[in-house]
Amino acid sequence: MAIIYKATLSPSKLELIADYLPKQPWFIQDGSPELIGAYRFDDPDGEVGLETHVVAAGERVYHVPLSYRGYELAGAGEWLIGTMDHSVLGKRWVYDACADPVYVKALATAILTGQEEATQFVDGEPEPRPSTVTVKGSGKLDGGVPALSASAPVTGSGVTIIDAGELRLKVTRVLDVAADASANTAAAPELHGDLILNGQWAGLEEPVELASVVRN
């Protein structure tokens, strides 16, 4: 469960993303970034916000995972996107989530176990807020997720690779919204090949692959 606060952010998330995207090797400048939607994962310890944005710029659609922290993440200065002032939570450090071990664990868990996005509640409101992007992992793992080790992400050709001990995760940065991902939703109970995270949002006819995982 993710708690969303009624807060003022300075700068806004989209402002941070708009500054971050042109610096990435997988981004092609073609119009101003516009937010399509977002989804969240839970941090079991409740300390790190995990929110992934789907952003359009021109004819391309980008997948931008962010993590929000109330303190600096040691050794991750290279992946710091910026800081923001949150009117409820105070200063927040915003990172490319692919370098955040909390996100890596949450992503792997979602893919391997068939988990969906976190249910979102606005603080003080009893009913959940619908997610603007829905996701679901293709795995069916009943047991625990393998232990993961921290590893610096490596980006190239529109994807980011994260070697995390027993698992290798691939996060798609430039989304192929024309592809039919529905054929990939069935998965074996064990990791005989790629297991994936599919996503969908309003106006998208078929789900699109957002990330995948295989054993190293």
Side-chain angles (χ1 to χ4, degrees), residues 32-55:
S32 300
E34 298 180 1
L35 182 63
I36 293 175
Y39 64 95
R40 288 178 177 260
F41 290 137
D42 279 330
D43 170 16
D45 295 329
E47 292 188 0
V48 181
L50 303 173
E51 185 176 33
T52 298
H53 300 266
V54 176
V55 178

Side-chain angles (χ1 to χ4, degrees), residues 97-135:
C98 291
D100 194 314
V102 176
Y103 169 77
V104 173
K105 178 73 170 181
L107 177 61
T109 299
I111 295 174
L112 295 176
T113 65
Q115 181 178 303
E116 299 179 350
E117 74 279 1
T119 302
Q120 301 180 41
F121 285 87
V122 176
D123 187 38
E125 297 183 4
E127 298 297 324
R129 183 178 75 175
S131 180
T132 50
V133 175
T134 58
V135 301

Side-chain angles (χ1 to χ4, degrees), residues 112-168:
L112 295 176
T113 65
Q115 181 178 303
E116 299 179 350
E117 74 279 1
T119 302
Q120 301 180 41
F121 285 87
V122 176
D123 187 38
E125 297 183 4
E127 298 297 324
R129 183 178 75 175
S131 180
T132 50
V133 175
T134 58
V135 301
K136 183 173 177 57
S138 66
K140 299 178 182 178
L141 183 67
D142 291 329
V145 174
L148 304 180
S149 58
S151 177
V154 177
T155 298
S157 301
V159 300
T160 294
I161 303 297
I162 308 165
D163 281 318
E166 295 184 34
L167 302 178
R168 170 175 288 189

Side-chain angles (χ1 to χ4, degrees), residues 1-214:
M1 180 179 69
I3 302 298
I4 312 300
Y5 294 96
K6 298 175 182 177
T8 301
L9 305 178
S10 180
S12 69
K13 296 171 186 177
L14 187 57
E15 287 172 333
L16 281 176
I17 291 171
D19 182 63
Y20 160 79
L21 283 177
K23 302 172 185 176
Q24 307 314 305
W26 38 265
F27 180 74
I28 298 175
Q29 187 69 51
D30 185 16
S32 300
E34 298 180 1
L35 182 63
I36 293 175
Y39 64 95
R40 288 178 177 260
F41 290 137
D42 279 330
D43 170 16
D45 295 329
E47 292 188 0
V48 181
L50 303 173
E51 185 176 33
T52 298
H53 300 266
V54 176
V55 178
E59 297 182 354
R60 295 173 178 83
V61 178
Y62 299 95
H63 185 223
V64 186
L66 303 180
S67 66
Y68 310 123
R69 288 176 167 265
Y71 51 88
E72 295 183 67
L73 177 59
E78 180 180 349
W79 294 279
L80 179 67
I81 292 175
T83 60
M84 65 168 60
D85 292 322
H86 190 290
S87 61
V88 175
L89 300 177
K91 185 174 182 179
R92 306 291 281 172
W93 281 259
V94 183
Y95 290 91
D96 178 338
C98 291
D100 194 314
V102 176
Y103 169 77
V104 173
K105 178 73 170 181
L107 177 61
T109 299
I111 295 174
L112 295 176
T113 65
Q115 181 178 303
E116 299 179 350
E117 74 279 1
T119 302
Q120 301 180 41
F121 285 87
V122 176
D123 187 38
E125 297 183 4
E127 298 297 324
R129 183 178 75 175
S131 180
T132 50
V133 175
T134 58
V135 301
K136 183 173 177 57
S138 66
K140 299 178 182 178
L141 183 67
D142 291 329
V145 174
L148 304 180
S149 58
S151 177
V154 177
T155 298
S157 301
V159 300
T160 294
I161 303 297
I162 308 165
D163 281 318
E166 295 184 34
L167 302 178
R168 170 175 288 189
L169 293 93
K170 180 181 77 172
V171 178
T172 305
R173 299 295 199 157
V174 184
L175 301 179
D176 185 1
V177 295
D180 180 0
S182 60
N184 297 321
T185 56
E190 297 181 0
L191 288 175
H192 297 304
D194 284 14
L195 297 179
I196 66 177
L197 184 75
N198 277 332
Q200 195 160 16
W201 52 89
L204 188 66
E205 293 184 1
E206 299 288 350
V208 62
E209 181 178 326
L210 303 176
S212 63
V213 62
V214 295

